[in-house]
Amino acid sequence: MFSAFGATCYTAGISEVITDFNVSYTSAILGLSLYLFGIAFAPIMTPHLSEAFGRSTVYLVSLPVFGLFILGAGYSQTPASLFICRFFAGMTGGPCLVLIEGTFADVWSADATNTYYAVLSMSSFVGAGCGPLIGGFVFASTNWRWTQYVTLMLALAAFLFGVGMPETYPRQVLKRKHKKHGLAPPKLAPAGSGTTIRDALQVTFLTPIEMLFIEPVVMLVTLYLGFNFAVIFSFFISVPAVLQGVYSFTIQQVGLAFIAAITGSILASTTQIIIDRLHFPRLQKKSQDGMVDLEYRLWPAMIGGFGITASLFWIGWTAKPSVSWASPVIGTLLYVWGNQSVLSSLIPYIFDAYPPMGTLSALTAAASVRLALAAFLPLVILQMFTGLTGAWALSLFGFLSAAMLPIPWVLYKWGAQLRARSKHSHDGMKMSHSAMGQMRDSVDVHMMGDTSENIFRTEQERRLNSLVTLRMEEGRIVHHEEEWDHEEEWDHEGNRTGEDGFLGRMGEWRKKVDAKVVEKMVPSDPDKVYGERERGGW
């Protein structure tokens, strides 16, 4: 939330940045655009930092560094120093924005993905909406520099809240546990994010670029989300310009208008949670194997897209003196509702669309591209409004969004077939015979990567007689499991430690810990392993 807030709070003081540094309006917008462009690097580097140091360490290091750059932006005496500090503030604050998805995946089960991502999306949208709302009143009372200081205060509060919070990434949890008890490092399968610089470069840079051109699912999702992100961040420049130019709003009134955007975000989360919690159990009961097609997660996007298209025409043709200011403001509410509905539907869909390495690459592509586009459009939005008029500029966006309306419907109809044909789906299911042998030799934990679900595999857990059989059939995940007591744990000597053991403590975070034994059946061809883990696996 603080990262999104830091991006948009700056926009409240842009007019004074122009006068203080004697720069053009477009140059002043660089403080927003470079911040977003800095965040675009976070999906590329964060998985590797998380794998090496754990999530908690990344949080507790990136937050203070972010704060220092925000402080530097507030004290900047030249436009160059302001823009540089804003860029690095985005880059260092971005890991928190990216990593929170993994943290939630650690402590919530896969069937709650849409629900928890609705909450995550809302926190980002509400944070962005609060930027001009709070920043407008702060700027009116002080000066633009205080928009940075308020962001710093919020980051400090987030840091203090995070101090002492436990590590949730299972691979790091186990490593720290072994180190604490003086044991040898655990034998872990190679991380899905890569174990060498070459692997890391492949997974979060080269493969994402490749997927943008050869993976239809990634291409369509990235295109739609990139367009939506670009438009919504351009609103933080165009909405104040329209409300102040057409309706003579003060900066405080402009900030209050963003309450509509915040309301739209809350309504979008409510819509998605209702769809997920009411319909998912029904679909589960109708299914013969108890599993639901992954494409059900696309429902919010299928309806939210209509809100995006309708609202763009609504805002464009009613933002004029002869029509009340309430009309375009309410249109903004509808736009945010549709935008968030699409985002918080398509991203959870990508979560489970591929095995871990494919998922990580797909998410990196979608995140970095949409943030880069969000950084670009605000720089030219006012020129578009001037050259085309506001009505036709937003109508252009409306026509583009209408062309993209079928995307979630296409994925709902043919997404499973497209994913089944992907080479990344099949590559993720291959493993050498030697690697399989290493797994079976008392492997303590198997976790394929930062974006996959948590799969614990220990010799002690095997005594609990649990079994998870997972396989991919025609693009659907099939999942069978026997229940077992999650509140019991075995120490390294094979003794039961009871409810106060490791899994018991994890149970405080999540009643149904996703810690299961995975038995992989090796067929006659040792280079093929049948089995696919929902949101991860081979």
Side-chain angles (χ1 to χ4, degrees), residues 64-234:
V65 178
F66 166 82
L68 289 175
F69 281 113
I70 286 294
L71 184 63
Y75 274 99
S76 293
Q77 300 301 314
T78 65
S81 62
L82 169 63
F83 300 148
I84 290 172
C85 285
R86 289 284 297 176
F87 170 79
F88 283 105
M91 179 180 286
T92 54
C96 296
L97 193 64
V98 172
L99 207 56
I100 192 65
E101 296 176 6
T103 300
F104 270 64
D106 291 338
V107 298
W108 290 96
S109 60
D111 60 5
T113 300
N114 264 32
T115 296
Y116 76 66
Y117 200 81
V119 176
L120 285 179
S121 299
M122 182 179 69
S123 68
S124 295
F125 277 75
V126 169
C130 286
L133 173 59
I134 296 174
F137 284 91
V138 169
F139 171 67
S141 302
T142 54
N143 56 57
W144 73 267
R145 298 181 187 276
W146 274 93
T147 64
Q148 305 306 291
Y149 303 151
V150 170
T151 303
L152 176 61
M153 294 175 192
L154 185 60
L156 177 60
F159 175 80
L160 295 176
F161 179 77
V163 172
M165 294 187 70
E167 176 62 50
T168 62
Y169 185 35
R171 290 171 66 96
Q172 277 294 327
V173 169
L174 194 74
K175 289 178 182 178
R176 296 180 186 185
K177 183 182 178 184
H178 275 236
K179 185 177 181 179
K180 179 180 179 181
H181 292 286
L183 303 175
K187 298 178 181 179
L188 302 174
S193 55
T195 55
T196 65
I197 294 178
R198 180 179 179 181
D199 291 341
L201 185 65
Q202 182 68 45
V203 173
T204 58
F205 185 73
L206 297 178
T207 300
I209 294 175
E210 175 189 288
M211 295 181 85
L212 287 172
F213 292 97
I214 68 171
E215 287 291 328
V217 172
V218 177
M219 283 190 287
L220 293 173
V221 168
T222 302
L223 176 66
Y224 205 6
L225 294 182
F227 169 77
N228 290 340
F229 249 56
V231 173
I232 198 167
F233 275 98
S234 72

Side-chain angles (χ1 to χ4, degrees), residues 177 458-465 484-485 488-498 501-503:
K177 183 182 178 184
T458 70
E459 291 292 335
Q460 291 80 10
E461 287 169 352
R462 197 174 303 176
R463 302 182 190 183
L464 297 175
N465 195 28
W484 58 293
D485 186 357
E488 293 184 338
E489 168 67 338
W490 303 77
D491 62 22
H492 63 281
E493 297 177 351
N495 300 315
R496 206 181 293 254
T497 59
F502 175 68
L503 290 183

Side-chain angles (χ1 to χ4, degrees), residues 338-349:
N339 193 310
Q340 185 181 317
S341 296
V342 171
L343 173 71
S344 54
S345 177
L346 293 181
I347 292 299
Y349 178 68

Side-chain angles (χ1 to χ4, degrees), residues 28-48:
I29 295 172
L30 282 172
L32 168 66
S33 293
L34 289 174
Y35 184 98
L36 294 172
F37 193 65
I39 298 177
F41 286 92
I44 299 173
M45 62 184 182
T46 302
H48 312 299

Side-chain angles (χ1 to χ4, degrees), residues 381-390 392-393:
I381 189 64
L382 292 184
Q383 290 87 328
M384 291 183 67
F385 272 52
T386 302
L388 298 175
T389 72
W392 281 108

